[in-house]
Amino acid sequence: MATPTSTKIGHGLAKVLGIKLDYRDPLGTNTSLSRGESVFSVSSADTYVEEEPDVFEWLREIMPTGEGLRKYCYNLFPFIHWIGRYNAQWLFGDLVAGITVGAVVVPQGMAYATLADLKPQFGLYTSFMGVLIYWFFATSKDITIGPVAVASTIVGNIVLEAQKTNPEIAPNVIASALAVIAGAIICAIGLARCGWIVDFISLAAISAFMTGSALNITVGQVPTMMGITGFSTRGPTYLVVINILKHLGRTQLDAAMGLTALAMLYIIRSACNFGARRIPNRKKMFFFLSTLRVVFVLLLYTMISWLVNRHHRKKPLFKILGVVPRGFQNAAVPKITVPIIKIFASKLPATVIVLLIEHIAISKSFGRVNNYTIDPSQEMIAIGVSNLLGPFLGAYPATGSFSRTAIKSKAGVRTPFAGVITAVVVLLAIYALPAVFFYIPSSSLSAVIIHAVGDLITPPNTVYQFWRVSPLEVIIFFAGVIVTIFSSIENGIYTTICISVAVFLFRVVKAKGRFLGKVKVHSVIGDHVLDSKSGNMGNNSQHANDPDNSTRNIFLPMEHNDGSNPQVDVESPYPGIFMYRFSEGYNYPNANHYLDYMVATIFAQTRRTNPNSYPKLGDRPWNDPGPRRGHAAVDHSDRPTLKAIILDFSSVNNVDITSVQHLIDVRNQLDRYAAPNRVEWHFACINNRWTKRALASAGFGFPNIEGEEGPFRRWKPVFSVAEIGGANSAASAAEYFENERHIRRQRKQDVEAGRMKSVQGADAIARDAGSSISSEEFSKDLGVSKPYAQPTTVSRMAVVHGVNRPLFHIDLTSALQSAITNAERNTEPEAKGVGTKNI
C-alpha cells in the first residue's frame, strides 16, 4: 500500500528537523509483535491492538458541534424544559410558597438595605428584580434571590468609605455599579461553563465565612437595636463589642422596641416548634405560623410605633424607618465610570466570592435534600443576569438567601415560577404599603436582622462532626472566624480560601506512595467460609463451582497504614519485585517525592546485581564511597536483586512531561543498579489513553532490550482475556435460562388454574433475549456457555488490552503474574519472603 503524500512530507520534515519518530519505541508501534511466547492461542482468542489517541481526536472531543451548540442554547433557558407541562397542582404549590416568601422578603429586604447603608426602598427593588428574573434561568426550584446580610454588609462598607473619599457620588449609584460589574463577571463565568471553580472553596471555608459574617453582623446591629450611638458599627467585631460595653449608658427607648421584638421572634419560633412536635398532624399549620412570625412582629411593633409617634412625626420618641417613596423612583440606567469602579475595585473579588459561594452552596444543599441536581454554571448565569438587570430599577448586589430558601422549600414550592408570585407580592408592597412602612421602628428591624443571621452560625455539634472527619479543617474554620472577628469579613474569606488551597497543595506535593504486599483472603457469609476447593458453603452449595467465591489474592500496604488488621501477615509479592501505589495522582508537584521514597526503599531492600561493579576505589561515586580502609564491605547477599517494579496507576488520571521524565531518570538509575540486567516496569490500572500514550512514548509498556544493538530477550507476555459478548455468550444463555424457568413456572400455574396458555411465549422471550435458539435447543446451547461448559469446550475470547502494550495490565494480579513469569525465566529462584518483607 502506497504511503500518503502527507505522511511522506511529514517524515521528511521530521528528518530535516532531527526529530526521531521512533524514539524510545523499540518494538515499533506500527508493527505487530513477533517475539515472545503468548499464554493464549490466536485460535482461541481474538487479538486487539490499541491505537494511540492523537491531537485531532482531542480537538474533535472538545470542539463544539452543531448539536452541542443547539443544546447549549437550549439549556440557557431551563424554564422551557418544564413550562409546557405546568398544571394547576403545581400552581397551587407555587402560590402558597410565593406568597409566604413574599411576606418575609418585604421586611427583610428593607432591613438588609439599612445594612448596605441605603434607603429601605432599595431593598425592595432588589427583592423584586431578583425573584422576577431568576426563574427564567433557574435550575433550582427552592432558591430565592434577593438582598442578603453578608453582601449588604460589604456594600455598606464600600458606601461608607466612598462617602469619605467621594461624597459627591450617591450611595445607590455606587451600589448599582458594583452590582453590574459583579454580575457581568459572574455571568461570563457561567457562560463559559466554568461553574466548577466554586469547588475550590471548601465546606470549612464556607462555614467559617458564614459564622464569622453572622457574628460580625449581629454585633454590628446591637447598637441600633439598643439605640446606642457615638461610635462606628462597621469596625472589627471585637472593637464594636468593646464600644458597646463602653457606651451601654447611652441606651435609649429603642431598646424596648428592639429587645422585646427579638425575644418575641424566638418565643414564637420555639412555641411553634414545640407545637409541631406535640401535635404532628398540625405540623404544617405551625410551620406557616412560624414562617410569618416576622410579619406579625413587625406589624405589631409598627402599630405600637404609630400609637406612640403619630403626634411626633418630626421628632419620634425612638428611631423609625421614615418616608419610603411609592413606586420605582430610582429607576435609571446605571452609571459606570472609572472613578466609581476605583471606589470598589479592591472589594470586588470579595463581593464576587460572596455572591457565588452563598448561592451555590445553598442551591446544592437544597438540591440534594429535594432530589434534584443544579447546574452551577447555569446558576451563575442566573445570578449574573439578575445583577446586570436589577440596577436598572435601583437594585444593589443580590444572591441566594438561606432563610428565604428554607422557607420556600418547606412551604411546598413546585417550580421556579413561584418567584413570579413573590415578585407580585413585593410589587404590591412597593405601591400599596409605603405609608405603613413609615412607622416601622429601626430597632425592630435590627432585631429581625439579628434573628435572621443567627441561623447562619455553625452550631457546636456541626463543628464537632467536622473534627471527627478532618481535625485540620476545624483549625481552618476557627482561623477564618477569628480573622473575621478581629479584622473584616473580606479578610476572613481570603484567609480560609488561601489556607484551604495551601493545605490541598501540601497534601498533593507530599503525597506518600505505598508498597503493596500479597494477602490470600476468603469470603465469609455468617460463619461459613466460601471456598470452592473445600466445598464448605453452608446453605450456599449452589455456588460451589463459582470461581469468584474461591480464595483470592488481594494487595495491601506492607505497613498496614490503611487501617487493615496488623495481625494479618502481608507477604512480599516476589523476591526482587516491588508493587508501588500512588495515593494522590502522579504529576509534577509530587513526582519527585513519590519516586525518591520508592528508590530509597528499593535500595534498602535489595542488593546490586553485580557486586564487583566498582573494581577500583576511584571508580566509586563520591556519594557511595564504600567501606572504610581496612573494613570489609557489608554483606547483603541475603537480599534479592531488583527484577521488576509494578506501579499501580488506579489513582492516576493524567501525567505530564515532568512526571514522565522523573520515571525515565529513575528507570535509568535502577538499570545501572541492576546491571547487567534490566529492570522490568509494569503498569496496572491505567485509566486514561493519553497516559498510556505518554508512558509509551517514554519507552514504557514494552519488554526490555538486552543491548542497544542486540536481539530481544526471550519474554513471556501475560494478557488478560474476556469472553466476547453476543447471542452465544454465557450472559445471553443465562438470561435465556431464567426466561425459560419463568415460562415453565407460568405454564404450571396456568395448568393448575385450568387455563393452558400458548407455548409460543417461550420462543418469543428467547428472541427478546437476543438468542436465535428454540426452546428444544436450549439445553444443547446452554452446555457451551461459560458457567455450564464442559472441560473440552473453548469459548470465543478476546484480549482486553492491546497486545502492542504487553506491560500495561488490566489489574495488579495480571501485572504480578507477568512480572513473576519473566523473572523466573531469566533468573535463578531466590528464597521466598526476602525483599520487601520489612517495608
Side-chain angles (χ1 to χ4, degrees):
M1 182 177 177
T3 304
T5 304
S6 59
T7 303
K8 292 181 179 179
I9 295 174
H11 287 180
L13 183 61
K15 187 175 182 180
V16 171
L17 296 176
I19 299 175
K20 299 178 182 180
L21 298 178
D22 296 329
Y23 182 57
R24 293 182 181 137
D25 190 4
L27 296 181
T29 56
N30 297 321
T31 60
S32 60
L33 296 179
S34 58
R35 301 264 180 184
E37 300 171 2
S38 175
V39 296
F40 69 93
S41 169
V42 292
S43 63
S44 63
D46 289 344
T47 188
Y48 167 66
V49 176
E50 182 177 353
E51 296 184 0
E52 290 185 347
D54 54 37
V55 176
F56 295 105
E57 178 183 339
W58 176 73
L59 290 175
R60 285 193 299 270
E61 291 178 355
I62 65 171
M63 289 297 290
T65 62
E67 176 63 21
L69 289 173
R70 187 199 66 80
K71 190 174 181 180
Y72 174 84
C73 296
Y74 178 71
N75 289 332
L76 284 177
F77 303 97
F79 78 95
I80 61 179
H81 301 178
W82 52 265
I83 195 66
R85 291 180 289 277
Y86 201 79
N87 53 68
Q89 189 172 351
W90 288 3
L91 177 61
F92 178 76
D94 290 344
L95 277 172
V96 174
I99 294 173
T100 304
V101 173
V104 174
V105 74
V106 170
Q108 276 194 356
M110 292 188 294
Y112 291 152
T114 61
L115 275 179
D117 211 50
L118 300 173
K119 294 181 179 179
Q121 63 266 27
F122 293 102
L124 297 176
Y125 303 156
T126 306
S127 302
F128 174 76
M129 291 300 291
V131 294
L132 181 65
I133 297 172
Y134 174 70
W135 80 278
F136 284 100
F137 307 95
T139 60
S140 169
K141 68 180 179 65
D142 301 298
I143 282 290
T144 300
I145 285 187
V148 295
V150 181
S152 298
T153 301
I154 293 176
V155 172
N157 293 337
I158 294 172
V159 168
L160 284 176
E161 291 180 8
Q163 288 177 350
K164 300 176 182 177
T165 58
N166 301 83
E168 71 282 359
I169 302 177
N172 63 294
V173 173
I174 298 172
S176 294
L178 176 62
V180 171
I181 300 299
I185 294 172
I186 296 172
C187 189
I189 296 174
L191 289 172
R193 295 304 185 194
C194 293
W196 45 265
I197 65 172
V198 297
D199 294 332
F200 284 99
I201 304 174
S202 67
L203 179 59
I206 294 174
S207 299
F209 148 71
M210 300 292 281
T211 301
S213 301
L215 293 174
N216 181 282
I217 294 167
T218 299
V219 172
Q221 288 300 303
V222 168
T224 304
M225 185 179 65
M226 302 284 290
I228 301 173
T229 58
F231 60 92
S232 173
T233 61
R234 298 284 180 172
T237 305
Y238 82 97
L239 193 58
V240 177
V241 171
I242 293 173
N243 286 326
I244 289 173
L245 297 177
K246 284 182 177 180
H247 297 85
L248 272 178
R250 298 183 182 180
T251 301
Q252 303 294 325
L253 185 60
D254 301 70
M257 304 297 289
L259 290 174
T260 55
L262 181 62
M264 185 172 292
L265 287 169
Y266 279 107
I267 290 171
I268 294 174
R269 185 172 72 174
S270 300
C272 290
N273 291 339
F274 177 77
R277 291 193 300 269
R278 293 297 300 271
I279 313 175
N281 58 339
R282 297 287 184 181
K283 190 173 183 179
K284 200 73 172 178
M285 180 192 71
F286 284 113
F287 161 73
F288 283 107
L289 289 177
S290 178
T291 298
L292 298 176
R293 66 186 180 276
V294 174
V295 179
F296 169 75
V297 168
L298 275 186
L299 287 177
L300 174 63
Y301 280 83
T302 300
M303 184 182 68
I304 295 174
S305 175
W306 174 75
L307 292 173
V308 172
N309 294 313
R310 58 180 175 172
H311 301 302
H312 309 279
R313 287 176 61 93
K314 294 183 178 180
K315 291 185 177 181
L317 299 181
F318 46 80
K319 189 177 180 181
I320 58 178
L321 201 59
V323 177
V324 177
R326 191 185 307 273
F328 297 94
Q329 300 296 323
N330 296 93
V333 176
K335 185 179 179 182
I336 302 175
T337 62
V338 173
I340 292 178
I341 295 176
K342 287 182 178 179
I343 292 174
F344 56 75
S346 61
K347 301 293 181 69
L348 186 58
T351 304
V352 171
I353 292 173
V354 167
L355 297 182
L356 283 180
I357 63 177
E358 192 165 356
H359 181 98
I360 301 300
I362 293 169
S363 58
K364 282 185 176 181
S365 175
F366 280 91
R368 296 187 189 101
V369 170
N370 295 313
N371 196 29
Y372 63 85
T373 303
I374 65 117
D375 181 354
S377 298
Q378 186 62 31
E379 290 298 311
M380 288 184 180
I381 295 174
I383 303 171
V385 174
S386 298
N387 283 286
L388 280 171
L389 299 182
F392 285 88
L393 290 183
Y396 67 90
T399 189
S401 166
F402 177 81
S403 60
R404 297 193 295 272
T405 298
I407 291 171
K408 192 176 181 181
S409 178
K410 292 181 181 179
V413 63
R414 302 303 300 273
T415 72
F417 187 75
V420 178
I421 310 301
T422 301
V424 172
V425 175
V426 177
L427 188 65
L428 290 175
I430 291 173
Y431 280 95
L433 299 179
V436 178
F437 297 154
F438 179 87
Y439 288 102
I440 294 178
S442 297
S443 57
S444 299
L445 278 181
S446 294
V448 169
I449 294 173
I450 293 173
H451 182 68
V453 301
D455 294 331
L456 301 180
I457 298 175
T458 304
N461 182 59
T462 302
V463 178
Y464 173 71
Q465 297 303 323
F466 287 172
W467 177 265
R468 296 280 297 173
V469 174
S470 177
L472 182 59
E473 290 190 272
V474 175
I475 298 175
I476 297 175
F477 169 82
F478 281 113
V481 173
I482 291 171
V483 170
T484 302
I485 291 174
F486 287 91
S487 180
S488 65
I489 294 176
E490 297 89 338
N491 292 337
I493 295 172
Y494 298 146
T495 299
T496 52
I497 293 177
C498 290
I499 296 178
S500 297
V501 172
V503 169
F504 170 75
L505 292 177
F506 179 82
R507 286 172 173 171
V508 170
V509 172
K510 290 296 183 180
K512 189 176 182 181
R514 301 285 185 261
F515 282 94
L516 304 180
K518 184 173 59 175
V519 176
K520 182 177 289 187
V521 298
H522 307 258
S523 297
V524 177
I525 295 182
D527 57 350
H528 299 289
V529 177
L530 302 182
D531 191 346
S532 61
K533 294 181 180 179
S534 64
N536 182 18
M537 302 295 296
N539 296 327
N540 298 280
S541 59
Q542 66 270 25
H543 300 292
N545 294 324
D546 188 350
D548 291 336
N549 284 326
S550 63
T551 58
R552 64 190 187 277
N553 289 325
I554 63 170
F555 303 96
L556 296 177
M558 299 292 293
E559 296 178 344
H560 291 285
N561 44 22
D562 63 337
S564 56
N565 190 344
Q567 295 180 348
V568 175
D569 184 23
V570 182
E571 299 179 358
S572 166
Y574 188 84
I577 296 178
F578 293 82
M579 304 179 71
Y580 191 64
R581 173 179 290 164
F582 298 115
S583 58
E584 294 268 357
Y586 178 67
N587 296 100
Y588 71 91
N590 54 24
N592 191 62
H593 185 73
Y594 270 135
L595 298 184
D596 282 351
Y597 173 68
M598 185 186 76
V599 170
T601 304
I602 291 174
F603 284 170
Q605 299 297 323
T606 60
R607 60 179 172 85
R608 285 186 177 275
T609 304
N610 182 10
N612 300 318
S613 55
Y614 302 124
K616 298 179 181 179
L617 181 61
D619 294 336
R620 302 189 71 95
W622 67 271
N623 60 335
D624 185 15
R628 294 179 177 273
R629 293 182 184 275
H631 292 77
V634 180
D635 182 17
H636 294 307
S637 58
D638 59 324
R639 298 180 183 178
T641 57
L642 178 61
K643 299 176 181 64
I645 295 174
I646 301 171
L647 296 181
D648 182 0
F649 264 51
S650 56
S651 64
V652 178
N653 188 44
N654 293 290
V655 294
D656 48 56
I657 295 174
T658 306
S659 58
V660 172
Q661 185 60 48
H662 275 295
L663 279 177
I664 295 171
D665 295 340
V666 170
R667 178 181 62 187
N668 295 336
Q669 179 185 11
L670 295 181
D671 280 344
R672 290 191 296 270
Y673 179 75
N677 296 333
R678 295 288 187 93
V679 179
E680 281 192 355
W681 290 75
H682 297 260
F683 295 81
C685 307
I686 303 178
N687 302 313
N688 190 311
R689 293 174 63 212
W690 284 94
T691 300
K692 292 182 181 179
R693 167 179 159 151
L695 293 173
S697 68
F700 295 101
F702 315 103
N704 293 324
I705 304 173
E706 289 189 349
E708 293 296 332
E709 304 295 337
F712 287 127
R713 184 178 62 190
R714 300 294 292 176
W715 59 283
K716 177 177 285 189
V718 177
F719 297 106
S720 297
V721 297
E723 184 178 356
I724 300 176
N728 295 323
S729 66
S732 178
E735 184 180 0
Y736 178 84
F737 181 65
E738 278 298 316
N739 291 331
E740 181 73 9
R741 288 176 53 191
H742 174 75
I743 289 300
R744 288 173 182 170
R745 187 166 55 251
Q746 187 65 38
R747 284 176 179 171
K748 183 178 180 180
Q749 294 174 356
D750 290 344
V751 169
E752 292 175 354
R755 302 189 306 274
M756 183 61 184
K757 294 187 177 180
S758 172
V759 296
Q760 296 177 353
D763 293 333
I765 293 183
R767 287 192 299 271
D768 292 340
S771 175
S772 61
I773 60 178
S774 63
S775 58
E776 290 80 6
E777 298 172 326
F778 171 77
S779 59
K780 177 181 178 182
D781 284 2
L782 188 62
V784 301
S785 65
K786 184 178 179 181
Y788 309 97
Q790 300 298 323
T792 58
T793 303
V794 179
S795 301
R796 192 63 177 173
M797 313 292 282
V799 183
V800 178
H801 279 220
V803 296
N804 56 330
R805 300 286 183 262
L807 301 187
F808 291 164
H809 304 278
I810 190 172
D811 59 7
L812 289 171
T813 300
S814 60
L816 182 59
Q817 289 173 349
S818 179
I820 293 176
T821 299
N822 287 282
E824 289 177 345
R825 287 182 62 87
N826 297 292
T827 62
E828 292 295 328
E830 300 184 53
K832 188 175 181 181
V834 181
T836 56
K837 183 175 182 180
N838 297 322
I839 295 178

